[in-house]
Amino acid sequence: MPDANSLTPVGQASRPFLAGIDVGGTNIKVGLVDNKGKTLAYYTFPTDVERGPDDGCRRMAEAVRRVTSDAKADLGDVVRIGLATPGTMDVPAGLLLEPHNLQGWWNYPIRDRLAEAAGIPVTFANDANAAAYGEFWVGSGQQYNSMILLTLGTGIGGGIIIGDKLIEGEHSCGGEVGHIIIDMSDDAMKDNAGKTGSLEAYASAGGVVKRAQAALAKDSSSVLAKIGLAEDELTPLAIAEAAEQGDLLARNVVLDTAKYLGIGITTLVHTIDPESVVLGGAMTFGGNDNALGREFLQAICDEFNRRTFPTLAGKIIIDFATLGGDAGYLGAAGLARLAHR
Amino acid sequence: MPDANSLTPVGQASRPFLAGIDVGGTNIKVGLVDNKGKTLAYYTFPTDVERGPDDGCRRMAEAVRRVTSDAKADLGDVVRIGLATPGTMDVPAGLLLEPHNLQGWWNYPIRDRLAEAAGIPVTFANDANAAAYGEFWVGSGQQYNSMILLTLGTGIGGGIIIGDKLIEGEHSCGGEVGHIIIDMSDDAMKDNAGKTGSLEAYASAGGVVKRAQAALAKDSSSVLAKIGLAEDELTPLAIAEAAEQGDLLARNVVLDTAKYLGIGITTLVHTIDPESVVLGGAMTFGGNDNALGREFLQAICDEFNRRTFPTLAGKIIIDFATLGGDAGYLGAAGLARLAHR
């Protein structure tokens, strides 16, 4: 959520305006964004999935009018809405397919229904791709020509931008960067979708916790073993705190996560050869503001530089994202802006 | 090399014309190509690397005039040359950097020198990327909007095309599809560049032979053991012939190659989500014309379909390339055509 003090007054904003909407399973975020990516007004409200998609579209349209009014802007200046949702989806058709966290909103023509409810044309995108475009447009990737985002959380999502163009893919599955395979062995770890050997299986929150559990089963000297955490208390945060206190097992879990990410990034860079790779999400161990986060990033860079071609070593900018949870609505607005131009 | 009977007479050709040049360590291939990708005339000559790059450019310019004359075309109709070379290279600068098989041609501004020698503007590309564009333009990928090529040979090269746009990358390293990592373990196989765990390490000609050697060390019942091949006689061709005779060890080597490719293709598809994946090069076990080739392809598809998302299983067209060794000069001509438009 943008700080109230960071909002741009409408008098200093650059027209046209876009509304960016990021639909999650719990909350919907709506921002009124100007042509340079500045937020004029922001509003968030519960998704209330059970109220159904028609009611959701009605409330989203209402929220667009609300942020426009809050910003003291004119609805006529809002030329387009950018709508980001979790998959699965058919982007060209404007269709939600079977998104796991929007039960009851399946096979729903959300793009056109929202456009009808709001009376404003809508650009539709995958939420992870929208977040990538947000970081590319006004976040950590803004000075680069091309960028890959990896969002580290419960899963690993992301997106790929090359020269202002989002790689959406032919079946709305472009940039599924958590689902590249880093371990082809038969006993590789499994990810949230039950697939073996993916980057997500190793480096998502679930992967981190599973690896910590496996290590604790063999080594009881860790503070994590001594404080006797119940299984559901062994979280990435608990592991990060132990690592910060110098616990060897916890540190190894964190640095192994960096190694797996460095391997995955090597694969992605050899495919795309982007100018920058950006790491977002909750699983960044505090990012640049924290010693552990900086050590984590350095270990990722080391693994990549060791594995890549000599010509690329040291040349790819790998850094943390800067927009946090705002990347989705900002990127959705940015994609709407591209579609409007 | 195009069959003489397949050449298009200049009277039936579509203007403007392009010259496509594919520079290899042994030979240089030059084709005069029309606006629809038809070859009007073709000429190949030894690279003679030791004669140096200036002499090379002079002979390439001469060859362009020769194919134009052979086709009874007018040099004024040849609007642009497409030049494909092996890397390393700096594409935007038009520079050869340190190509292993063009010793003495290093740090050479080949694009501009050829343009001077020929008096025709030149578009410069990586040879593997040019081959990918060739298959996309007039080969196996021609009915698709996006395509990934993997060229299976001594190494694994390739390229990625999305909507008529080649993914060249920011450092001329886009589409290095042989250098994605499929095995992160410390004892993974090594590729030609000494890097561990890459797709090339497992599925290139060298990888195939090394895996066969390792299998033969443990199992002497194979016909490959019985005929007592010297180490340098154990080639992919010998392995393919044994597999065709039903030799179990040889068949497993071939089908394991398919498995590794299926894993690598899963990673590439989850990154790009293309309409098609095309397999070219010498290591395709006879391709569609051969039972072993068809079995190899089916095993690749099976591995991919098993590992991908349900929404993508069965949806990605995976097939063999059709242009053979002509893909490079045709693709170079096609890229020149794009630059001219």
Side-chain angles (χ1 to χ4, degrees):
Chain A
M1 184 191 307
D3 187 286
N5 296 320
S6 75
L7 296 178
T8 295
V10 69
Q12 294 166 29
S14 165
R15 283 177 176 74
F17 301 153
L18 300 312
I21 304 184
D22 187 5
V23 179
T26 309
N27 289 302
I28 296 177
K29 299 172 183 173
V30 181
L32 187 72
V33 175
D34 86 347
N35 192 42
K36 292 187 173 160
K38 302 284 185 195
T39 299
L40 311 185
Y42 175 84
Y43 181 60
T44 182
F45 56 98
T47 310
D48 290 342
V49 173
E50 68 287 354
R51 291 169 65 177
D54 283 335
D55 189 71
C57 284
R58 190 187 54 73
R59 289 180 292 131
M60 283 187 250
E62 206 174 277
V64 169
R65 288 188 291 271
R66 181 187 170 128
V67 290
T68 306
S69 155
D70 286 353
K72 301 185 176 58
D74 182 354
L75 204 60
D77 283 333
V78 184
V79 292
R80 191 169 266 270
I81 295 171
L83 171 66
T85 74
T88 57
M89 64 210 301
D90 180 337
V91 172
L95 210 59
L96 290 176
L97 295 178
E98 301 181 351
H100 288 300
N101 45 7
L102 296 175
Q103 300 282 336
W105 296 35
W106 288 15
N107 302 307
Y108 181 77
I110 191 166
R111 181 193 62 201
D112 295 348
R113 293 292 165 84
L114 174 61
E116 284 158 28
I120 299 172
V122 174
T123 292
F124 186 42
N126 175 281
D127 57 358
N129 283 342
Y133 191 79
E135 289 291 341
F136 175 78
W137 185 31
V138 289
S140 187
Q142 66 182 296
Q143 66 262 54
Y144 306 116
N145 184 54
S146 51
M147 190 204 85
I148 300 174
L149 174 72
L150 291 98
T151 304
L152 314 175
T154 312
I156 295 184
I160 301 167
I161 324 282
I162 303 175
D164 225 24
K165 192 176 151 41
L166 180 65
I167 305 301
E168 295 208 282
E170 301 290 344
H171 314 83
S172 308
C173 291
E176 288 283 356
V177 297
H179 299 280
I180 63 174
I181 297 169
I182 62 169
D183 183 357
M184 67 175 186
S185 66
D186 292 333
D187 59 350
M189 290 179 72
K190 280 190 164 57
D191 63 25
N192 299 330
K195 298 291 187 181
T196 55
S198 67
L199 179 58
E200 178 173 289
Y202 285 84
S204 66
V208 166
V209 169
K210 274 191 239 167
R211 286 189 287 105
Q213 283 167 344
L216 283 168
K218 285 191 266 182
D219 174 6
S220 58
S221 71
S222 163
V223 296
L224 291 171
K226 286 180 189 147
I227 58 177
L229 291 172
E231 197 152 295
D232 62 349
E233 290 170 327
L234 185 65
T235 61
L237 190 64
I239 294 162
E241 284 171 356
E244 284 174 354
Q245 291 160 26
D247 183 68
L248 200 63
L249 183 147
R251 276 180 56 80
N252 284 342
V253 169
V254 172
L255 294 177
D256 282 348
T257 308
K259 186 180 90 170
Y260 301 133
L261 286 166
I263 292 169
I265 288 170
T266 304
T267 285
L268 293 169
V269 167
H270 292 179
T271 306
I272 303 295
D273 182 13
E275 217 171 336
S276 67
V277 174
V278 171
L279 303 162
M283 275 274 305
T284 45
F285 301 104
N288 282 319
D289 295 332
N290 194 26
L292 184 65
R294 291 191 297 271
E295 198 179 349
F296 174 67
L297 182 62
Q298 188 58 52
I300 292 171
C301 293
D302 290 348
E303 185 72 25
F304 167 73
N305 288 326
R306 190 173 76 74
R307 287 191 176 258
T308 191
F309 312 124
T311 44
L312 290 186
K315 293 239 182 84
I316 309 291
I317 314 292
I318 305 178
D319 204 351
F320 290 116
T322 55
L323 301 179
D326 297 339
Y329 83 80
L330 284 165
L335 291 168
R337 173 175 165 269
L338 280 190
H340 176 70
R341 284 201 299 189
Chain B
M1 186 191 305
D3 187 286
N5 296 322
S6 75
L7 296 177
T8 295
V10 69
Q12 294 167 27
S14 165
R15 283 181 176 72
F17 301 155
L18 301 310
I21 305 183
D22 186 6
V23 179
T26 309
N27 289 303
I28 296 176
K29 300 171 183 173
V30 181
L32 188 72
V33 176
D34 86 346
N35 193 42
K36 292 187 173 159
K38 303 283 185 195
T39 299
L40 311 184
Y42 175 85
Y43 180 60
T44 182
F45 56 98
T47 309
D48 290 343
V49 173
E50 68 289 354
R51 291 169 65 177
D54 282 336
D55 190 69
C57 284
R58 191 188 53 73
R59 291 180 291 130
M60 283 187 249
E62 207 173 276
V64 169
R65 289 188 290 271
R66 180 187 171 127
V67 291
T68 306
S69 156
D70 285 354
K72 301 186 175 57
D74 183 352
L75 204 60
D77 283 333
V78 183
V79 293
R80 192 169 265 270
I81 294 171
L83 171 66
T85 74
T88 54
M89 65 210 301
D90 180 337
V91 171
L95 210 60
L96 289 176
L97 296 177
E98 302 180 352
H100 287 300
N101 46 5
L102 296 176
Q103 300 282 336
W105 296 36
W106 288 15
N107 302 309
Y108 181 77
I110 193 166
R111 181 193 62 202
D112 294 348
R113 293 291 166 82
L114 174 62
E116 283 158 29
I120 298 172
V122 174
T123 293
F124 186 42
N126 175 280
D127 56 358
N129 282 342
Y133 191 80
E135 289 290 342
F136 175 79
W137 186 32
V138 290
S140 188
Q142 66 181 296
Q143 65 263 55
Y144 307 116
N145 183 55
S146 50
M147 192 202 83
I148 300 174
L149 175 72
L150 292 98
T151 305
L152 313 175
T154 312
I156 295 184
I160 301 167
I161 324 283
I162 303 176
D164 225 24
K165 193 175 151 42
L166 180 64
I167 305 301
E168 295 206 283
E170 301 290 345
H171 315 83
S172 307
C173 290
E176 289 283 357
V177 297
H179 299 279
I180 63 174
I181 296 169
I182 62 168
D183 183 356
M184 67 175 186
S185 65
D186 292 333
D187 60 350
M189 290 180 71
K190 279 190 163 57
D191 64 26
N192 299 330
K195 298 291 186 181
T196 54
S198 67
L199 179 59
E200 178 173 288
Y202 284 83
S204 67
V208 166
V209 169
K210 273 190 239 166
R211 285 189 287 108
Q213 283 167 345
L216 283 167
K218 284 189 266 181
D219 173 5
S220 58
S221 70
S222 163
V223 297
L224 291 170
K226 286 179 188 148
I227 58 178
L229 292 171
E231 196 151 297
D232 62 351
E233 291 170 326
L234 184 65
T235 61
L237 190 63
I239 294 162
E241 283 170 358
E244 283 173 355
Q245 291 160 27
D247 184 69
L248 200 64
L249 183 147
R251 276 180 55 78
N252 283 342
V253 169
V254 171
L255 294 178
D256 281 349
T257 309
K259 186 180 91 171
Y260 301 133
L261 286 166
I263 292 168
I265 288 169
T266 304
T267 285
L268 293 168
V269 167
H270 291 178
T271 306
I272 303 296
D273 182 14
E275 217 171 337
S276 67
V277 175
V278 172
L279 304 162
M283 275 275 304
T284 45
F285 301 103
N288 283 319
D289 296 332
N290 195 28
L292 185 65
R294 292 190 297 272
E295 199 178 348
F296 173 66
L297 182 62
Q298 188 59 52
I300 292 171
C301 293
D302 289 348
E303 185 72 23
F304 167 73
N305 288 326
R306 190 173 75 75
R307 285 189 177 261
T308 191
F309 312 122
T311 44
L312 291 185
K315 292 239 181 85
I316 310 291
I317 314 293
I318 305 178
D319 204 352
F320 290 116
T322 55
L323 301 179
D326 297 340
Y329 83 81
L330 284 165
L335 291 168
R337 173 175 166 270
L338 279 191
H340 176 70
R341 284 200 300 189

